[in-house]
């Protein structure tokens, strides 16, 4: 049973040891809790509110698995913010959805907001760097785009760990 109340009708349920959330578009603030299985994004995710800031909050221990060639985009199409604050014992993990992950399976986390600051604390970004325009584990772009990061670990990637472009 899902603890994710905001995503009724979006999350396909627990299948094969993960929860499927196809084509996630977070348009208003939402929190994902630790539910004992990874969240799997077969079509990536976009966090962008139209008039109001959409804040995507991930609780400690959340694991987000992203499908081959997909990415997590914060703020590109509107006002978006990521608040991912894990702990040393329960980091937040963004990783490949592959059963046998390889460097470059998925693109990475792309932050393109101009009006807010995303926060990444005790976060791991693994197996990213898929070759597209945003080929980095964490790609920050845009005037005044800001990310506060502590204990951020980017590993097993196929491209840059962190890229700051035009920001």
């Amino acid at each position: 049973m899902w603890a994710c109340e905001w995503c009724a009708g979006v999350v396909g349920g627990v299948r094969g040891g993960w929860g499927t959330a196809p084509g996630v578009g977070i348009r208003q603030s939402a929190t994902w809790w630790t539910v004992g299985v990874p969240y799997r994004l077969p079509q990536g995710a976009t966090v962008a509110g139209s008039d109001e800031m959409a804040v995507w909050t991930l609780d400690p221990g959340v694991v987000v698995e992203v499908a081959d060639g997909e990415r997590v985009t914060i703020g590109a199409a509107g006002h978006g913010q990521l608040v991912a604050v894990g702990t040393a014992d329960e980091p937040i993990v963004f990783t490949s959805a592959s059963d046998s992950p390889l460097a470059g399976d998925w693109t990475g986390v792309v932050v393109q907001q101009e009006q807010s600051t995303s926060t990444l604390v005790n976060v791991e970004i693994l197996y990213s760097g898929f070759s597209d325009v945003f080929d980095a584990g964490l790609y920050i772009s845009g005037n005044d785009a800001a990310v506060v990061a502590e204990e951020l670990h980017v590993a097993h990637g196929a491209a840059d760990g962190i890229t700051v472009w035009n920001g």
Side-chain angles (χ1 to χ4, degrees), residues 121-135:
V121 176
N122 286 301
V123 170
E124 298 176 6
I125 301 174
L126 309 173
Y127 302 103
S128 60
F130 179 82
S131 183
D132 75 0
V133 70
F134 306 111
D135 57 352

Side-chain angles (χ1 to χ4, degrees), residues 23-27 41 43-48 54 56 71-78:
V24 173
I26 298 172
R27 304 281 180 242
L41 303 175
Q43 298 169 347
T46 301
V47 180
W56 185 27
R71 67 177 162 254
V72 172
T73 305
I74 311 298

Side-chain angles (χ1 to χ4, degrees), residues 13-29:
V14 176
R15 296 186 188 121
W18 62 82
T20 303
V24 173
I26 298 172
R27 304 281 180 242
Q28 53 188 310
S29 294

Side-chain angles (χ1 to χ4, degrees), residues 14-126:
V14 176
R15 296 186 188 121
W18 62 82
T20 303
V24 173
I26 298 172
R27 304 281 180 242
Q28 53 188 310
S29 294
T31 299
W32 285 13
W33 301 275
T34 304
V35 293
V37 296
Y39 290 88
R40 184 165 283 186
L41 303 175
Q43 298 169 347
T46 301
V47 180
S50 55
D51 296 327
E52 300 285 325
M53 180 67 64
V55 179
W56 185 27
T57 303
L58 301 177
D59 274 357
V62 166
V63 176
V64 178
E65 296 180 344
V66 186
D68 288 356
E70 298 296 332
R71 67 177 162 254
V72 172
T73 305
I74 311 298
H79 308 294
Q81 181 179 19
L82 172 61
V83 177
V85 179
T87 67
D89 292 333
E90 293 184 291
I92 294 167
V93 179
F94 291 91
T95 190
S96 167
S98 174
D99 290 334
S100 300
L102 298 170
D105 278 353
W106 65 292
T107 300
V109 177
V110 178
V111 179
Q112 293 184 293
Q113 84 278 6
E114 296 183 17
Q115 298 174 338
S116 69
T117 300
S118 287
T119 304
L120 305 174
V121 176
N122 286 301
V123 170
E124 298 176 6
I125 301 174
L126 309 173

